Amino acid sequence: MNFLDTLSLAYRTIRGNALRTSITVAIIALGIAALIGINTAIQAISQKFMESFSSMGASGFSIRYRAMFRFDRGELKKEEKNGRKLKKSNTNQPITREQAELFKERYDYPAKVGISLGAGNSFTASYGGKKTNPTVRVAGGDENYVELNGYDIEGGRNMSEIDISSGRNVCIIGKDIYDKIFGSGDPERPVDKILRVNNIPFRVVGTLKSRGSTFGMSRDNIIIIPYMSVVRFFAGSASNTFNIGVKAQEIANIETAIGEAEGIFRVIRKNGIKEESNFLIDKSDAFVEMALKQIGWLTASAVVIGFITLMGAAIGLMNIMLVAVTERTKEVGLIKAIGGRQSNVRWQFLLEAILISLLGAFFGIVLGVLLGNIVSMLMDTGFVVPWLWVFMGVLICTIVGLAAGSYPAYKASRLNPIEALRYE
């Protein structure tokens, strides 16, 4: 008997015990589906995080005030290492408009600097007889806000430096706004129309391309106005601190850009030489990294769940193969009687176990990818296939088949042909 004959015989034997094989395949498939499904979902979530939070790219960073309560424990460790002391009075000191504007004026590193101030997300926009729900987000920015926050102009123009410095009542609206009020279609249609935001008139100068949604929250339900307009009209609901965004021209220069920004802003914020900075600098992917560390626990959970299920499947498969050896004792004796060697019998049983495991891997991978991409569809990301874990799933199932089939195969190959033929 050659290898192909042995493989064919193993396949026919599996087909002949369809119910038993199906149950074992289902157990293995569930373990692999848990492993692949959760990792597919995690990859989709990671992709969405990267799209949503790294809008400035790897060369961007932001400057924010140092809050008294924080969740980033890594920053606390850095404070202990740099030898500077952090005064409690230095926490919760907001960044003022004057400080933000002074930083933008003094920072001469080759980079773009943007100033922004959030007004809130409970505004209404109206034009003529049409009106939005009171869920519109209003953001105050400058001429660089659109680029630094990952938006693109689709119709009209961006806000200019003159718009910002003169405090004009102009605005740029997201796709949800102009679809709701002006109708979908031509993005130029809203341009030069007078839109009322909480009954305050703003002239529309531009419209934004769609950014989609993040975790069910639309990024297109936004109106961007000059930050001085937020101070003038919406001071009661606005954030108490300005944010500063910086985007360096080259990724390689990001650390130098951060170092220079910190030095300039420490002077503006009047930090002493031995004092810790009363502000924080975050790279644009800092939130992504922090979130992905937390998501990593899901990966560990998936691995544990998958391995526990696969261990149970391996035990069940070994039990089935041992029962098969007993049931097919006469068959083994006949194979040996017509010239079959111990290796032929051993390979037949090993191949049966491996084929059952690989069938489980196939159905488990397909089921896991489909289940994981339900999350991908909900988050509006592309179809995700975690190729590394697909390969790992096939490898793990092959190992499971070898482990579960080794002892039954060895036991079958050691049977005495004469005793086996006489077995009832």
Side-chain angles (χ1 to χ4, degrees):
M1 291 176 67
N2 57 33
F3 181 79
L4 289 177
D5 292 331
T6 306
L7 180 62
S8 176
L9 184 58
Y11 176 71
R12 287 199 302 271
T13 304
I14 289 172
R15 286 188 61 184
N17 295 279
L19 179 61
R20 182 189 299 171
T21 300
S22 299
I23 294 172
T24 311
V25 166
I27 296 171
I28 296 172
L30 286 174
I32 292 297
L35 196 63
I36 300 295
I38 295 177
N39 280 286
T40 302
I42 288 170
Q43 191 167 320
I45 292 170
S46 303
Q47 184 176 321
K48 193 63 179 180
F49 271 128
M50 293 300 292
E51 292 174 359
S52 302
F53 295 112
S54 293
S55 57
M56 286 192 294
S59 63
F61 61 92
S62 59
I63 302 174
R64 60 185 173 91
Y65 80 112
R66 185 185 290 274
M68 185 175 294
F69 300 102
R70 304 199 312 282
F71 298 98
D72 189 351
R73 307 310 299 174
E75 287 174 351
L76 292 178
K77 291 178 182 177
K78 290 178 185 177
E79 290 169 13
E80 295 170 0
K81 289 179 181 178
N82 61 21
R84 292 172 176 166
K85 294 182 180 179
L86 175 64
K87 293 181 178 180
K88 288 185 178 179
S89 59
N90 274 347
T91 58
N92 282 0
Q93 287 190 11
I95 297 173
T96 64
R97 177 174 61 86
E98 291 76 13
Q99 290 171 347
E101 289 176 344
L102 191 57
F103 174 85
K104 185 176 180 179
E105 180 185 332
R106 292 184 181 179
Y107 191 69
D108 57 1
Y109 195 83
K112 286 194 174 182
V113 180
I115 301 172
S116 62
L117 179 68
N121 55 3
S122 58
F123 293 86
T124 58
S126 60
Y127 174 79
K130 294 185 178 180
K131 188 177 182 181
T132 66
N133 294 325
T135 57
V136 175
R137 181 164 67 94
V138 173
D142 59 8
E143 70 280 2
N144 293 325
Y145 182 91
V146 170
E147 180 181 348
L148 295 184
N149 285 272
Y151 288 100
D152 291 302
I153 299 293
E154 186 172 25
R157 63 173 178 84
N158 190 13
M159 292 188 298
S160 65
E161 291 186 31
I162 297 175
D163 292 330
I164 305 302
S165 60
S166 62
R168 291 174 179 170
N169 279 26
V170 296
C171 70
I172 302 171
I173 61 175
K175 193 173 189 307
D176 287 353
I177 309 297
Y178 72 75
D179 280 353
K180 174 78 174 177
I181 295 179
F182 299 98
S184 59
D186 185 8
E188 297 283 347
R189 188 184 304 165
V191 177
D192 285 331
K193 302 292 192 303
I194 302 300
L195 184 74
R196 291 186 172 272
V197 182
N198 278 19
N199 275 333
I200 299 169
F202 288 87
R203 184 168 63 88
V204 179
V205 295
T207 58
L208 299 171
K209 288 184 180 179
S210 176
R211 283 286 305 278
S213 60
T214 303
F215 304 110
M217 295 180 62
S218 175
R219 297 176 68 82
D220 300 321
N221 195 33
I222 184 173
I223 297 175
I224 302 169
I225 62 177
Y227 61 83
M228 279 307 299
S229 295
V230 173
V231 175
R232 191 162 66 245
F233 299 118
F234 309 120
S237 61
S239 169
N240 67 339
T241 180
F242 279 77
N243 292 314
I244 302 171
V246 182
K247 186 175 182 180
Q249 292 181 359
E250 299 291 339
I251 297 175
N253 299 333
I254 184 68
E255 295 301 332
T256 306
I258 289 174
E260 186 160 335
E262 184 176 14
I264 291 172
F265 208 51
R266 279 179 61 83
V267 174
I268 294 172
R269 296 274 282 182
K270 295 184 170 68
N271 291 136
I273 296 175
K274 295 185 178 180
E275 287 181 11
E276 180 63 29
S277 299
N278 59 1
F279 58 91
L280 297 172
I281 296 180
D282 291 321
K283 291 184 183 178
S284 62
D285 58 354
F287 294 107
V288 180
E289 292 176 1
M290 188 165 59
L292 293 183
K293 285 180 183 178
Q294 302 301 321
I295 292 173
W297 289 105
L298 290 176
T299 307
S301 302
V303 172
V304 170
I305 292 168
F307 272 108
I308 290 173
T309 308
L310 289 172
M311 283 178 62
I315 294 169
L317 180 57
M318 182 181 287
N319 181 59
I320 287 172
M321 296 306 297
L322 286 171
V323 171
V325 171
T326 304
E327 289 179 347
R328 293 158 56 194
T329 300
K330 224 170 201 181
E331 178 189 327
V332 172
L334 182 60
I335 291 172
K336 286 191 171 184
I338 61 175
R341 297 188 297 271
Q342 285 188 0
S343 60
N344 295 128
V345 176
R346 188 163 53 246
W347 271 110
Q348 181 184 342
F349 280 85
L350 268 177
L351 287 172
E352 286 179 27
I354 292 171
L355 284 174
I356 290 172
S357 293
L358 290 178
L359 280 171
F362 173 76
F363 290 110
I365 288 168
V366 171
L367 180 62
V369 170
L370 291 176
L371 289 174
N373 274 284
I374 292 175
V375 176
S376 179
M377 290 172 60
L378 292 173
M379 293 190 171
D380 196 25
T381 60
F383 192 81
V384 176
V385 180
W387 291 110
L388 175 62
W389 283 101
V390 168
F391 173 77
M392 289 293 294
V394 173
L395 180 63
I396 290 167
C397 283
T398 304
I399 293 170
V400 166
L402 282 170
S406 293
Y407 177 67
Y410 172 78
K411 184 179 178 182
S413 68
R414 299 293 294 176
L415 287 174
N416 186 299
I418 298 174
E419 294 295 328
L421 284 170
R422 294 168 57 188
Y423 182 80
E424 295 293 339

